Amino acid sequence: MSHSKRTASGATKGSSTSKRARTTCTDPDCTDGSCPDCADGAIHLDPAVLSLPASELLDLAEHEDRTHCDRSIVTSLYEHALSKCTTPELRARALLRLAEYVGYADYASQAIEAADSCVIKGRARVLRVCLDPNNWVDPNVESSERVYGVDELAKGLKEIESGLSGAEKDVVLDSVVALMGRVDAHELCAPLCHRLTDTALSVSYAALGWTESADPESEPTDPAEHAELAQAASAAAVRWSQSATECSVPGTRIESRLRHILTYLAKQTNSSEACKLRAQIMLVLSSALDDDDAALRAFDSAVESLLLAHKISPNDEDVVRQLADLDIDISTV
């Protein structure tokens, strides 16, 4: 019997050493049936990790979550952190993280009860709505134009926006990633997807200073500081534009809403990923804009972005496929 050994590692905040969750056996192909670490197939966290206080254990769980560690390990870390929480706010944070990670509405409900934080309450409410199967797309049923739990959704999104007002960019980024995680976890109905991505854009814009009156051409004060949030907002913009067309949002409105994103992406001339994101948005605009000339310009701009992405990363099969779908022969360009 072969068992794959699963380990968790990550430095805790404020510590110069790395705490590791691992089994005693380090052989990834151990076939010894008498090996105590392999025989039961369970997750054995390092005692040094289990001895951490709740806050550090939760930090470690979040770190392993972000780095896509083995799901069983991350779940176990969150559960152990939750079992050690002694304050309502820390318990609420742990409940939310575990609820979002395993997709369990009851944990979300408990988080709402325990939390004082508007952001935690809001994200937990949004999660409960997203976990309702009535809001998932069923290929055998005509897509719904309504959101089940729309009042709770509105309350949750309002709490998120209110709680993130004036927050640091990394705090905003965490919630943007969480909102997009809900979009990606299930194929949500278009109206729900649109509401989530719209909030992701709104809080990102506020944190980045991309207001209606701001000049999109103006360079950010510190590009390195805001790059991660801008990239997350750009990914959200793609999904927003797609859901916007499904919700019959006019093309001119889509273009106006995304002008900051499009300007930002156009400046990332050394990033294949940025070029691909911009191309996806421009392709949406090419089909959403009523003016034929504007639509054609959007299509040409999408092709230009994809060709630039191909120039940066010639082995990117996704770019090659997209160009082929658009009948662009890369051998002639």
Side-chain angles (χ1 to χ4, degrees):
M1 178 172 60
S2 176
H3 297 281
S4 176
K5 304 313 297 173
R6 296 170 288 187
T7 66
S9 63
T12 59
K13 294 181 180 179
S15 172
S16 60
T17 60
S18 178
K19 300 288 187 179
R20 296 185 179 274
R22 59 170 178 260
T23 57
T24 304
C25 177
T26 58
D27 180 3
D29 298 311
C30 178
T31 57
D32 183 0
S34 64
C35 175
D37 296 315
C38 297
D40 59 7
I43 296 296
H44 297 279
L45 297 179
D46 191 308
V49 169
L50 295 177
S51 67
L52 291 172
S55 60
E56 291 188 36
L57 198 53
L58 187 52
D59 286 342
L60 177 57
E62 291 171 347
H63 175 273
E64 299 299 337
D65 188 348
R66 288 191 299 272
T67 54
H68 307 293
C69 180
D70 184 293
R71 286 192 63 85
S72 297
I73 289 177
V74 176
T75 302
S76 184
L77 287 169
Y78 276 134
E79 289 173 341
H80 279 287
L82 177 60
S83 69
K84 286 191 168 189
C85 291
T86 56
T87 65
E89 207 55 28
L90 191 60
R91 176 175 170 77
R93 176 184 156 200
L95 282 165
L96 175 66
R97 292 295 191 184
L98 186 55
E100 289 179 332
Y101 192 72
V102 301
Y104 188 40
D106 187 51
Y107 285 147
S109 299
Q110 292 179 51
I112 294 171
E113 294 178 5
D116 287 327
S117 163
C118 285
V119 175
I120 290 179
K121 285 180 178 291
R123 279 170 51 174
R125 293 188 205 282
V126 168
L127 176 61
R128 291 201 303 192
V129 174
C130 292
L131 290 177
D132 185 343
N134 288 307
N135 289 320
W136 303 350
V137 173
D138 185 340
N140 299 315
V141 179
E142 185 176 352
S143 182
S144 173
E145 295 183 0
R146 61 170 292 192
V147 175
Y148 289 82
V150 66
D151 291 339
E152 179 168 31
L153 175 67
K155 184 175 183 178
L157 294 177
K158 184 177 180 179
E159 286 172 325
I160 291 172
E161 290 199 45
S162 173
L164 292 177
S165 177
E168 295 294 326
K169 291 182 178 65
D170 61 334
V171 177
V172 175
L173 174 63
D174 182 66
S175 284
V176 171
V177 170
L179 286 170
M180 296 311 297
R182 301 279 37 100
V183 172
D184 294 333
H186 301 284
E187 188 175 356
L188 302 175
C189 63
L192 178 53
C193 181
H194 191 61
R195 294 285 296 275
L196 297 186
T197 52
D198 193 67
T199 296
L201 285 180
S202 293
V203 297
S204 298
Y205 280 15
L208 294 165
W210 291 352
T211 61
E212 287 291 332
S213 59
D215 179 9
E217 296 295 336
S218 62
E219 288 290 337
T221 304
D222 185 353
E225 177 189 352
H226 88 274
E228 195 171 2
L229 178 56
Q231 190 72 6
S234 300
V238 172
R239 300 300 295 272
W240 181 86
S241 67
Q242 293 166 343
S243 64
T245 60
E246 293 184 63
C247 295
S248 302
V249 177
T252 51
R253 170 58 183 154
I254 297 174
E255 187 175 36
S256 174
R257 175 74 160 136
L258 301 182
R259 64 192 183 101
H260 285 287
I261 294 287
L262 290 170
T263 301
Y264 166 77
L265 291 173
K267 294 176 181 179
Q268 312 308 306
T269 54
N270 293 319
S271 169
S272 174
E273 185 62 28
C275 292
K276 289 163 65 176
L277 290 172
R278 187 173 186 279
Q280 291 181 69
I281 295 172
M282 297 311 294
L283 285 173
V284 169
L285 287 173
S286 72
S287 62
L289 290 168
D290 291 329
D291 183 85
D292 290 343
D293 290 337
L296 182 58
R297 286 194 297 271
F299 179 83
D300 290 342
S301 183
V303 173
E304 289 175 8
S305 292
L306 285 173
L307 288 173
L308 180 55
H310 178 64
K311 181 178 179 181
I312 297 169
S313 303
N315 296 322
D316 189 325
E317 295 182 1
D318 182 47
V319 173
V320 173
R321 178 188 57 77
Q322 290 186 63
L323 286 168
D325 288 344
L326 298 175
D327 293 327
I328 305 299
D329 185 356
I330 58 176
S331 66
T332 62
V333 295

